[in-house]
Amino acid sequence: MVVLAGNGCSPKGVRTAPFVCTLHGTHNCYNKSDIAQCIGVDEKMVVDYYLFSETGTGDSTTNESKLKSLVCDKIVDEVMLRIQMVYGDKQFQRWQFTDMSLPVIFRTFVKKDSNPQMIVIGFVKKDDLSARAIIYYLPLEYKMDIIGREKNNYKSQPEW
């Protein structure tokens, strides 16, 4: 009897109305195989992605662009955190990201019922957030800034 009650409280029963992809109109964002199909990868490869998401009420394009902007801010914060972990934070406080070519797959999911809601998810490959990859995707002036620092660090080493 207890087993039946436990099965009735499974997480799958919590969400009644699905959040459906606005691009394809079929993929539910809470289903791993749907997510894989939505972003065009094998289901086993979904674990190779970081997911950055923001949720809001409503389903307008204004709300979507606001949520997408918030997701972008989260991704930039993560990139800056990783750069600061490797190189320190003093030099990079003046950096202002206006353009970065990090490949991100954005998908918007909408739940249409009496209270419409929206989720915007940015999918970033874990490999693309490695220290080497981040430098690759930085704008040129920031790459030069890092290269300059690396050169200065090597000059302080004794020449053999």
Side-chain angles (χ1 to χ4, degrees):
M1 196 68 148
V2 175
V3 174
L4 292 176
N7 285 338
C9 296
S10 70
K12 291 180 182 178
V14 173
R15 296 181 183 97
T16 55
F19 280 86
V20 178
C21 173
T22 58
L23 181 65
H24 303 109
T26 58
H27 303 120
N28 181 351
C29 73
Y30 293 117
N31 183 311
K32 186 177 176 180
S33 64
D34 279 0
I35 288 291
Q37 289 175 4
C38 190
I39 63 173
V41 299
D42 186 68
E43 186 175 342
K44 295 174 189 165
M45 302 300 285
V46 172
V47 296
D48 293 338
Y49 285 83
Y50 288 117
L51 280 65
F52 298 88
S53 66
E54 283 292 332
T55 306
T57 57
D59 58 356
S60 67
T61 55
T62 305
N63 190 39
E64 180 179 10
S65 65
K66 181 180 90 170
L67 293 175
K68 186 175 180 181
S69 178
L70 291 171
V71 169
C72 287
D73 291 345
K74 280 184 173 182
I75 294 169
V76 168
D77 289 346
E78 181 66 24
V79 167
M80 287 306 297
L81 178 67
R82 288 170 184 259
I83 289 172
Q84 289 170 0
M85 287 172 33
V86 173
Y87 294 104
D89 62 345
K90 300 267 190 247
Q91 171 190 1
F92 307 107
Q93 289 176 350
R94 62 180 164 69
W95 283 14
Q96 297 294 318
F97 281 103
T98 55
D99 180 38
M100 187 170 173
S101 60
L102 184 70
V104 181
I105 301 170
F106 288 100
R107 292 294 185 264
T108 302
F109 298 88
V110 177
K111 179 172 83 169
K112 299 207 181 224
D113 60 6
S114 60
N115 183 22
Q117 294 179 334
M118 179 181 290
I119 298 174
V120 173
I121 302 176
F123 298 88
V124 180
K125 282 187 180 178
K126 289 180 180 179
D127 291 344
D128 289 338
L129 284 181
S130 69
R132 177 172 286 181
I134 287 174
I135 292 170
Y136 176 78
Y137 293 118
L138 287 174
L140 181 61
E141 66 265 19
Y142 299 149
K143 288 180 190 179
M144 297 306 291
D145 208 3
I146 289 172
I147 291 170
R149 271 195 171 270
E150 291 295 317
K151 261 187 178 176
N152 290 337
N153 287 340
Y154 290 126
K155 284 183 180 178
S156 64
Q157 301 285 333
E159 297 208 20
W160 301 100

